[in-house]
């Protein structure tokens, strides 16, 4: 487990595991962030089609159990389960591959809620060895940071400025710290430390455009 208390409004927790899902061996990536909002408001931000684009991406479809969705320029899939205001699950289809995402909300106080995102996916061994969990985890960290900023009085980033922010020094620093945290989670899972750090260097370079050497 890797913790990072330095970015956003609250603490961040990252975990990795391996398990069987629907008869397949999959990697489990968990990114959890504490947001400065009550659970009902956070649930609405996550599930309201008019509100999702204000922190993430435009979305279309039927956002009810059994319905399908499509994120503009990104993934699509089906809504598998929904238990307001606590938990929803969906399939995540992208580039011809299918994986599974479950989001769970937990009250911490009147105005603090933890959002826990679990992504189950199969990755080719060569891809995992080359880039490690950060290849997926950094993107989820960015998305949950955007969600957290949705509730900030003076947000560092909104969807209209996200592209510029990612390439700014602040955005690149966020990526480096996210990559380092996923690297530590990989080492905790049992990955050889040198291999994990080499993979983290490569995925950081991919996201930031910096020379991995």
């Amino acid at each position: 487990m890797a913790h990072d208390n330095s970015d956003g409004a609250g603490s961040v927790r990252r975990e990795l595991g391996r398990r069987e899902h629907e008869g397949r061996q999959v990697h489990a990536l968990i990114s959890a962030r504490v947001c400065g909002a009550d659970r009902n408001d956070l649930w609405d931000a996550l599930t309201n089609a008019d509100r999702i684009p204000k922190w993430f991406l435009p979305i279309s479809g039927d956002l009810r159990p059994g319905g399908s969705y499509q994120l503009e320029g990104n993934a699509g899939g089906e809504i598998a389960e929904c238990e307001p205001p606590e938990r929803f699950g969906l399939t995540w289809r992208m580039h011809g591959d299918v994986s599974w995402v479950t989001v769970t909300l937990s009250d911490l106080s009147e105005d603090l809620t933890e959002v826990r995102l679990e992504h189950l996916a199969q990755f080719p061994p060569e891809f995992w060895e080359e880039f490690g969990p950060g290849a997926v985890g950094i993107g989820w960290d960015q998305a949950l940071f955007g969600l957290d900023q949705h509730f900030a009085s003076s947000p560092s980033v909104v969807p209209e400025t996200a592209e510029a922010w990612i390439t700014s020094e602040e955005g690149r620093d966020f990526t480096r710290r996210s990559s380092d945290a996923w690297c530590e989670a990989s080492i905790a899972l049992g990955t050889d430390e040198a291999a994990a750090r080499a993979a983290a260097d490569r995925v950081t370079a991919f996201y930031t455009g910096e020379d991995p050497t």
Side-chain angles (χ1 to χ4, degrees):
M1 182 186 302
H3 293 269
D4 182 351
N5 296 311
S6 59
D7 55 342
S11 65
V12 179
R13 178 167 52 89
R14 302 170 181 90
E15 300 176 35
L16 294 172
R18 298 187 183 95
R19 70 184 65 165
E20 184 174 304
H21 180 76
E22 296 188 357
R24 312 181 194 186
Q25 289 297 318
V26 298
H27 290 274
L29 294 86
I30 297 168
S31 181
R33 173 180 281 274
V34 176
C35 292
D38 66 68
R39 186 165 64 166
N40 286 329
D41 196 15
L42 188 56
W43 177 266
D44 187 68
L46 283 161
T47 60
N48 185 328
D50 292 328
R51 201 165 168 189
I52 293 170
K54 296 179 180 179
W55 63 269
F56 193 35
L57 293 167
I59 189 169
S60 59
D62 181 3
L63 306 188
R64 294 178 295 180
S68 60
Y69 73 93
Q70 180 63 54
L71 290 161
E72 186 175 293
N74 204 282
E78 296 76 43
I79 311 299
E81 59 176 313
C82 185
E83 302 173 14
E86 182 177 346
R87 170 189 172 98
F88 65 86
L90 48 84
T91 57
W92 186 264
R93 299 181 184 277
M94 195 170 184
H95 305 312
D97 296 321
V98 61
S99 53
W100 302 267
V101 173
T102 302
V103 176
T104 305
L105 304 185
S106 301
D107 287 320
L108 300 181
S109 68
E110 184 176 339
D111 57 357
L112 287 176
T113 305
E114 182 186 70
V115 53
R116 177 184 184 275
L117 185 148
E118 179 184 69
H119 188 178
L120 305 180
Q122 289 182 304
F123 299 105
E126 60 274 14
F127 175 87
W128 190 262
E129 292 170 7
E130 183 76 9
F131 295 110
V136 175
I138 291 171
W140 285 125
D141 283 352
Q142 291 173 341
L144 293 183
F145 180 65
L147 175 64
D148 178 70
Q149 291 296 289
H150 179 63
F151 299 99
S153 56
S154 299
S156 298
V157 61
V158 295
E160 293 78 10
T161 63
E163 186 173 349
W165 179 83
I166 287 172
T167 58
S168 70
E169 183 52 39
E170 180 184 1
R172 289 197 298 270
D173 182 62
F174 178 96
T175 296
R176 295 184 201 105
R177 288 186 286 113
S178 173
S179 180
D180 288 345
W182 285 111
C183 176
E184 293 300 327
S186 185
I187 293 169
L189 185 65
T191 305
D192 174 77
E193 181 174 351
R197 298 201 183 283
D201 287 344
R202 287 189 288 268
V203 80
T204 301
F206 174 82
Y207 272 93
T208 64
E210 299 169 343
D211 189 337
T213 61

